[in-house]
Amino acid sequence: MHVSFNLAADLDTVLKSTAAAAGLEDAAAFAPEVRTADPRHGDFQANGVLGYAKARKLNPRATAEKLVAALPDSVREAYDFTIAGPGFINFTLKPTALFAWLRAHDSAAHLRAGAAAAHANQTWVVDYSSPNTAKQMHVGHLRSAVIGEAICRLLEFTGAKVVRDNHLGDWGTQFGKLIYGYKRWADPAALATDAIEELERLYKLGHNATPDGSPALDEARAELVKLQNGDPENVALWQKFSDVSLAAFQQIYDRLGIKFDHNLGESFYNDKVERVYRELTELEIAETSEGALVVFHPEHPRFKTQPFLMRKADGASNYASTDLATALHRVEQFKADGIVVVTDFRQGDHFEQLFLTVKKWFAAKSYRLPELHHVTFGAVTGEDGKALKTRSGDVIKLKDLLNEAEDRAFAIVAEKNPDLPEAGRRDIARAVGLGAVQYADLSQNRSSNYVFSWDKMLALDGNTAPYLLYAVARIHSIFRKLGLDPAGDCHPLDDKPIPTPPREKPDVCHLMDDKHPGARMAFEAGATAFETAAELALARKLAKFPDAIRLAGDTLRPHFLCLYLYELAGEFSAFYTADKVAVDDSGIRARRLMLCARTLLILETGLHLLGLRTLTRM
Ligand code: ARG
């Protein structure tokens, strides 16, 4: 039996062609809308008949019946189906089809091959993290980095070539004051130990020494003008500020598993804004208003009066001009089919105006418009609903937050594993602590504000990283006890324990490394058909992984994947409680081991897509 990777998408395609075969009027316009169903109704549900029939004044139930009668044998073989309510069609996979699906998708390579169709041959530029230089990253910088990385991985998994671009805020008037402070008070020893901390101190000194209207402010402005005009000394200083900032950011990125392809900050676009002014003026998209260059969008309720300011009256470029140049660069240089920018929701207006402008601009140039997405997120707050601060009321530095996560996780791990050597406990604590912070952020719908709670994110049950990491480690231990390698070595390991990998190369998702592309696992040979309710429920959940990936990828909302993984771990737990795995009957044992191996594969794959590191023991 042939089973495709994304069963829901496949059903959708089949139903659409069936509509034509069944002679439905205007069949080309019929969208079946097949989605994962509420398990009480089946595995998948087609919701599209209703809207289609209503719009054409047809009876939806009769339409659904016509459609179902024309379904091809391939669907009849794999599914039981019923028409429900006013015209929904519910599909329930037959156990043989479920079994075939699990058999066919037995390695990371097979999962990836199946998923890759969604964005095959597409290039997506993802602009995320993008902090301002000469300042530390603080807690407010967490979300863009974590959400952005998960989106990159989801897009990559679904076939896209992803360009990770860190759009640093590395240009602006603040550099005048910073250079002013630096030239007077820089402390070489402090620069050597914690450069970025020292730059923050120097900026504050520079800022305090240059109040409005003071001659000192004129001096700071002169430093800025020198920098803008290419004065070698100031340019070298600015370069140094960028370099030390990036080095500090990289330490955070390393901990979060982030590696950028480019760090093309605002400064990179300095010499590219003139072309933007010229083109938008010539194409009569931009106009001069009170000396500034602006774009009005008459079709928009607000932006018809509130224009997009793209060059200030004094001739200076701004965030809008560099972002317009950035969009052009991404299309011309990276050939982007899609652009995703991940920032705080407060930049909503900016990106709405930017995208409206880009659409008009590219249309006028006859450029193909890439998909443009502003991925926004809400604030991180304390449990009191207010901005998260330290006890003394300062902003929390991101590196301190991550350290605290590891320390708190260490305390938990040490309590659970008193016998483990210190280094092992540290390594586990690192994966659990950082994973807890990442997962707490990702598991929320990103549009909401999210309440930062150490206790909740480190809890061993609930929709948390520790719970899921523990589920993964538990399945590893099942295989370890049986002397089997779940990654699919064709030969059982005869009781040899799986060696603990060295610490530098921690036990990352070894299922992701494609060492065993499609190796049929020996322990699965002779598996017999699923029988018990718990086996079937788990198998059904596993087969819905592709639709969870699709949903998270289409909406650019990783929390859908989190929820799926959490529910999968729950089904596994129910199965493991209900059905013994290591039974004597070789057929039953083989099929239960297959369920364990697939659960592990999908949990590890999913957690990796979210940017987490998984563990083989906890
Ligand atoms: N540097 C900006 C900030 O800290 C974010 C930049 C986002 N990307 C962009 N192309 N504007 O808010």
Side-chain angles (χ1 to χ4, degrees), residues 23 61 63 97 105 115 127 138 200 218 227 295 364 448 457 475 477 482 498 510 554 587:
R61 247 198 114 92
T63 309
H105 299 97
D127 167 338
H138 57 78
E200 283 183 321
D218 293 336
L227 171 65
V295 182
S448 336
M457 72 179 72
I475 303 177
S477 103
L482 296 170
I498 296 173
H510 65 288
D554 282 0

PDB file of all heavy atoms in Angstrom, residues 23 61 63 97 105 115 127 138 200 218 227 295 364 448 457 475 477 482 498 510 554 587:
ATOM      1  N   GLY A  23     -18.219  15.088 -11.151  1.00  0.00           N
ATOM      2  CA  GLY A  23     -19.006  16.041 -11.922  1.00  0.00           C
ATOM      3  C   GLY A  23     -19.574  17.179 -11.093  1.00  0.00           C
ATOM      4  O   GLY A  23     -20.625  17.728 -11.412  1.00  0.00           O
ATOM      5  N   ARG A  61     -24.957  18.192   2.183  1.00  0.00           N
ATOM      6  CA  ARG A  61     -24.928  16.743   2.449  1.00  0.00           C
ATOM      7  C   ARG A  61     -24.976  15.946   1.164  1.00  0.00           C
ATOM      8  O   ARG A  61     -24.223  14.988   0.981  1.00  0.00           O
ATOM      9  CB  ARG A  61     -26.095  16.352   3.351  1.00  0.00           C
ATOM     10  CG  ARG A  61     -25.613  15.877   4.725  1.00  0.00           C
ATOM     11  CD  ARG A  61     -26.649  15.105   5.479  1.00  0.00           C
ATOM     12  NE  ARG A  61     -26.231  13.713   5.661  1.00  0.00           N
ATOM     13  CZ  ARG A  61     -25.562  13.278   6.720  1.00  0.00           C
ATOM     14  NH1 ARG A  61     -25.219  14.098   7.697  1.00  0.00           N
ATOM     15  NH2 ARG A  61     -25.221  12.012   6.822  1.00  0.00           N
ATOM     16  N   THR A  63     -24.023  16.978  -1.680  1.00  0.00           N
ATOM     17  CA  THR A  63     -22.745  17.184  -2.367  1.00  0.00           C
ATOM     18  C   THR A  63     -21.693  16.239  -1.794  1.00  0.00           C
ATOM     19  O   THR A  63     -20.934  15.600  -2.534  1.00  0.00           O
ATOM     20  CB  THR A  63     -22.288  18.648  -2.202  1.00  0.00           C
ATOM     21  OG1 THR A  63     -23.371  19.509  -2.566  1.00  0.00           O
ATOM     22  CG2 THR A  63     -21.086  18.953  -3.060  1.00  0.00           C
ATOM     23  N   ALA A  97      -3.266   0.677   7.080  1.00  0.00           N
ATOM     24  CA  ALA A  97      -2.681   1.892   6.501  1.00  0.00           C
ATOM     25  C   ALA A  97      -1.777   2.581   7.518  1.00  0.00           C
ATOM     26  O   ALA A  97      -0.705   3.099   7.182  1.00  0.00           O
ATOM     27  CB  ALA A  97      -3.785   2.834   6.040  1.00  0.00           C
ATOM     28  N   HIS A 105       8.022   5.454   7.311  1.00  0.00           N
ATOM     29  CA  HIS A 105       8.680   6.653   7.841  1.00  0.00           C
ATOM     30  C   HIS A 105       9.497   6.309   9.065  1.00  0.00           C
ATOM     31  O   HIS A 105       9.130   6.625  10.184  1.00  0.00           O
ATOM     32  CB  HIS A 105       7.631   7.743   8.099  1.00  0.00           C
ATOM     33  CG  HIS A 105       6.935   8.132   6.838  1.00  0.00           C
ATOM     34  ND1 HIS A 105       5.721   7.616   6.459  1.00  0.00           N
ATOM     35  CD2 HIS A 105       7.339   8.931   5.819  1.00  0.00           C
ATOM     36  CE1 HIS A 105       5.404   8.099   5.276  1.00  0.00           C
ATOM     37  NE2 HIS A 105       6.364   8.898   4.856  1.00  0.00           N
ATOM     38  N   ALA A 115       8.686  15.757   4.109  1.00  0.00           N
ATOM     39  CA  ALA A 115       8.302  17.135   4.446  1.00  0.00           C
ATOM     40  C   ALA A 115       8.789  18.145   3.418  1.00  0.00           C
ATOM     41  O   ALA A 115       8.236  19.234   3.286  1.00  0.00           O
ATOM     42  CB  ALA A 115       8.858  17.495   5.823  1.00  0.00           C
ATOM     43  N   ASP A 127      15.098  37.056   9.150  1.00  0.00           N
ATOM     44  CA  ASP A 127      15.773  38.163   9.846  1.00  0.00           C
ATOM     45  C   ASP A 127      15.302  38.080  11.283  1.00  0.00           C
ATOM     46  O   ASP A 127      14.125  38.291  11.576  1.00  0.00           O
ATOM     47  CB  ASP A 127      15.328  39.440   9.109  1.00  0.00           C
ATOM     48  CG  ASP A 127      15.625  40.762   9.799  1.00  0.00           C
ATOM     49  OD1 ASP A 127      15.809  40.794  11.031  1.00  0.00           O
ATOM     50  OD2 ASP A 127      15.631  41.782   9.081  1.00  0.00           O
ATOM     51  N   HIS A 138      19.428  41.663  26.420  1.00  0.00           N
ATOM     52  CA  HIS A 138      18.702  41.481  27.672  1.00  0.00           C
ATOM     53  C   HIS A 138      17.511  40.566  27.422  1.00  0.00           C
ATOM     54  O   HIS A 138      17.320  40.075  26.305  1.00  0.00           O
ATOM     55  CB  HIS A 138      18.287  42.835  28.256  1.00  0.00           C
ATOM     56  CG  HIS A 138      17.453  43.656  27.331  1.00  0.00           C
ATOM     57  ND1 HIS A 138      16.115  43.422  27.121  1.00  0.00           N
ATOM     58  CD2 HIS A 138      17.778  44.692  26.515  1.00  0.00           C
ATOM     59  CE1 HIS A 138      15.642  44.283  26.240  1.00  0.00           C
ATOM     60  NE2 HIS A 138      16.638  45.071  25.855  1.00  0.00           N
ATOM     61  N   GLU A 200      28.822  49.972  27.393  1.00  0.00           N
ATOM     62  CA  GLU A 200      27.583  50.503  27.982  1.00  0.00           C
ATOM     63  C   GLU A 200      27.902  51.616  28.979  1.00  0.00           C
ATOM     64  O   GLU A 200      27.233  52.634  29.039  1.00  0.00           O
ATOM     65  CB  GLU A 200      26.797  49.385  28.681  1.00  0.00           C
ATOM     66  CG  GLU A 200      26.067  48.508  27.690  1.00  0.00           C
ATOM     67  CD  GLU A 200      25.218  47.425  28.338  1.00  0.00           C
ATOM     68  OE1 GLU A 200      25.641  46.821  29.346  1.00  0.00           O
ATOM     69  OE2 GLU A 200      24.119  47.182  27.831  1.00  0.00           O
ATOM     70  N   ASP A 218      27.718  69.349  20.999  1.00  0.00           N
ATOM     71  CA  ASP A 218      28.229  69.668  19.659  1.00  0.00           C
ATOM     72  C   ASP A 218      29.458  68.836  19.339  1.00  0.00           C
ATOM     73  O   ASP A 218      29.629  68.377  18.210  1.00  0.00           O
ATOM     74  CB  ASP A 218      28.587  71.165  19.567  1.00  0.00           C
ATOM     75  CG  ASP A 218      27.340  72.041  19.656  1.00  0.00           C
ATOM     76  OD1 ASP A 218      26.242  71.521  19.321  1.00  0.00           O
ATOM     77  OD2 ASP A 218      27.448  73.202  20.077  1.00  0.00           O
ATOM     78  N   LEU A 227      32.442  60.192  11.769  1.00  0.00           N
ATOM     79  CA  LEU A 227      32.205  58.770  11.483  1.00  0.00           C
ATOM     80  C   LEU A 227      31.467  58.616  10.154  1.00  0.00           C
ATOM     81  O   LEU A 227      31.856  57.823   9.292  1.00  0.00           O
ATOM     82  CB  LEU A 227      31.384  58.142  12.627  1.00  0.00           C
ATOM     83  CG  LEU A 227      30.875  56.714  12.395  1.00  0.00           C
ATOM     84  CD1 LEU A 227      32.030  55.725  12.282  1.00  0.00           C
ATOM     85  CD2 LEU A 227      29.930  56.270  13.513  1.00  0.00           C
ATOM     86  N   VAL A 295       6.064  58.151   1.834  1.00  0.00           N
ATOM     87  CA  VAL A 295       5.133  57.375   1.005  1.00  0.00           C
ATOM     88  C   VAL A 295       3.775  57.345   1.711  1.00  0.00           C
ATOM     89  O   VAL A 295       3.684  56.906   2.866  1.00  0.00           O
ATOM     90  CB  VAL A 295       5.629  55.927   0.788  1.00  0.00           C
ATOM     91  CG1 VAL A 295       4.665  55.162  -0.105  1.00  0.00           C
ATOM     92  CG2 VAL A 295       7.035  55.913   0.205  1.00  0.00           C
ATOM     93  N   ALA A 364       5.861  47.993  -9.739  1.00  0.00           N
ATOM     94  CA  ALA A 364       6.240  48.988 -10.749  1.00  0.00           C
ATOM     95  C   ALA A 364       7.512  48.572 -11.491  1.00  0.00           C
ATOM     96  O   ALA A 364       7.709  48.928 -12.651  1.00  0.00           O
ATOM     97  CB  ALA A 364       6.432  50.351 -10.083  1.00  0.00           C
ATOM     98  N   SER A 448       0.667  36.292  22.143  1.00  0.00           N
ATOM     99  CA  SER A 448       0.319  36.728  23.502  1.00  0.00           C
ATOM    100  C   SER A 448       1.568  37.156  24.260  1.00  0.00           C
ATOM    101  O   SER A 448       2.670  36.722  23.956  1.00  0.00           O
ATOM    102  CB  SER A 448      -0.308  35.588  24.293  1.00  0.00           C
ATOM    103  OG  SER A 448      -0.881  34.645  23.454  1.00  0.00           O
ATOM    104  N   MET A 457       8.234  26.452  33.957  1.00  0.00           N
ATOM    105  CA  MET A 457       9.008  25.955  32.818  1.00  0.00           C
ATOM    106  C   MET A 457       9.912  24.784  33.193  1.00  0.00           C
ATOM    107  O   MET A 457      10.281  23.989  32.348  1.00  0.00           O
ATOM    108  CB  MET A 457       9.804  27.074  32.153  1.00  0.00           C
ATOM    109  CG  MET A 457      10.994  27.578  32.919  1.00  0.00           C
ATOM    110  SD  MET A 457      11.864  28.870  32.000  1.00  0.00           S
ATOM    111  CE  MET A 457      10.743  30.240  32.131  1.00  0.00           C
ATOM    112  N   ILE A 475      12.514   6.606  26.587  1.00  0.00           N
ATOM    113  CA  ILE A 475      12.473   5.651  25.468  1.00  0.00           C
ATOM    114  C   ILE A 475      13.893   5.135  25.186  1.00  0.00           C
ATOM    115  O   ILE A 475      14.093   3.949  24.942  1.00  0.00           O
ATOM    116  CB  ILE A 475      11.835   6.273  24.207  1.00  0.00           C
ATOM    117  CG1 ILE A 475      10.423   6.784  24.548  1.00  0.00           C
ATOM    118  CG2 ILE A 475      11.765   5.234  23.095  1.00  0.00           C
ATOM    119  CD1 ILE A 475       9.717   7.494  23.411  1.00  0.00           C
ATOM    120  N   SER A 477      16.068   4.655  27.353  1.00  0.00           N
ATOM    121  CA  SER A 477      16.417   3.682  28.393  1.00  0.00           C
ATOM    122  C   SER A 477      15.708   2.345  28.147  1.00  0.00           C
ATOM    123  O   SER A 477      16.248   1.291  28.462  1.00  0.00           O
ATOM    124  CB  SER A 477      16.161   4.278  29.784  1.00  0.00           C
ATOM    125  OG  SER A 477      14.990   3.759  30.330  1.00  0.00           O
ATOM    126  N   LEU A 482      17.151  -3.252  26.733  1.00  0.00           N
ATOM    127  CA  LEU A 482      16.997  -4.435  25.882  1.00  0.00           C
ATOM    128  C   LEU A 482      18.232  -4.661  25.015  1.00  0.00           C
ATOM    129  O   LEU A 482      18.268  -5.594  24.210  1.00  0.00           O
ATOM    130  CB  LEU A 482      15.764  -4.282  24.988  1.00  0.00           C
ATOM    131  CG  LEU A 482      14.418  -4.205  25.720  1.00  0.00           C
ATOM    132  CD1 LEU A 482      13.305  -3.815  24.762  1.00  0.00           C
ATOM    133  CD2 LEU A 482      14.103  -5.542  26.375  1.00  0.00           C
ATOM    134  N   ILE A 498      24.768   1.451  25.233  1.00  0.00           N
ATOM    135  CA  ILE A 498      25.178   2.460  24.255  1.00  0.00           C
ATOM    136  C   ILE A 498      26.136   3.408  24.968  1.00  0.00           C
ATOM    137  O   ILE A 498      25.817   3.939  26.026  1.00  0.00           O
ATOM    138  CB  ILE A 498      23.954   3.224  23.733  1.00  0.00           C
ATOM    139  CG1 ILE A 498      23.044   2.247  22.991  1.00  0.00           C
ATOM    140  CG2 ILE A 498      24.370   4.373  22.828  1.00  0.00           C
ATOM    141  CD1 ILE A 498      21.731   2.849  22.572  1.00  0.00           C
ATOM    142  N   HIS A 510      20.796  12.015  17.758  1.00  0.00           N
ATOM    143  CA  HIS A 510      21.576  11.201  16.837  1.00  0.00           C
ATOM    144  C   HIS A 510      20.689  10.632  15.742  1.00  0.00           C
ATOM    145  O   HIS A 510      21.166  10.133  14.748  1.00  0.00           O
ATOM    146  CB  HIS A 510      22.300  10.093  17.577  1.00  0.00           C
ATOM    147  CG  HIS A 510      21.358   9.109  18.180  1.00  0.00           C
ATOM    148  ND1 HIS A 510      20.592   9.424  19.267  1.00  0.00           N
ATOM    149  CD2 HIS A 510      21.033   7.859  17.814  1.00  0.00           C
ATOM    150  CE1 HIS A 510      19.836   8.364  19.556  1.00  0.00           C
ATOM    151  NE2 HIS A 510      20.080   7.429  18.701  1.00  0.00           N
ATOM    152  N   ASP A 554       2.984  26.714   8.124  1.00  0.00           N
ATOM    153  CA  ASP A 554       2.113  27.631   7.373  1.00  0.00           C
ATOM    154  C   ASP A 554       1.811  28.892   8.166  1.00  0.00           C
ATOM    155  O   ASP A 554       1.696  29.976   7.605  1.00  0.00           O
ATOM    156  CB  ASP A 554       0.760  26.961   7.053  1.00  0.00           C
ATOM    157  CG  ASP A 554       0.869  26.000   5.888  1.00  0.00           C
ATOM    158  OD1 ASP A 554       1.978  25.855   5.343  1.00  0.00           O
ATOM    159  OD2 ASP A 554      -0.172  25.396   5.533  1.00  0.00           O
ATOM    160  N   GLY A 587       6.113 -11.196  17.541  1.00  0.00           N
ATOM    161  CA  GLY A 587       5.397 -10.269  16.663  1.00  0.00           C
ATOM    162  C   GLY A 587       4.890  -9.054  17.426  1.00  0.00           C
ATOM    163  O   GLY A 587       4.989  -7.917  16.958  1.00  0.00           O
TER     164      GLY A 587
END
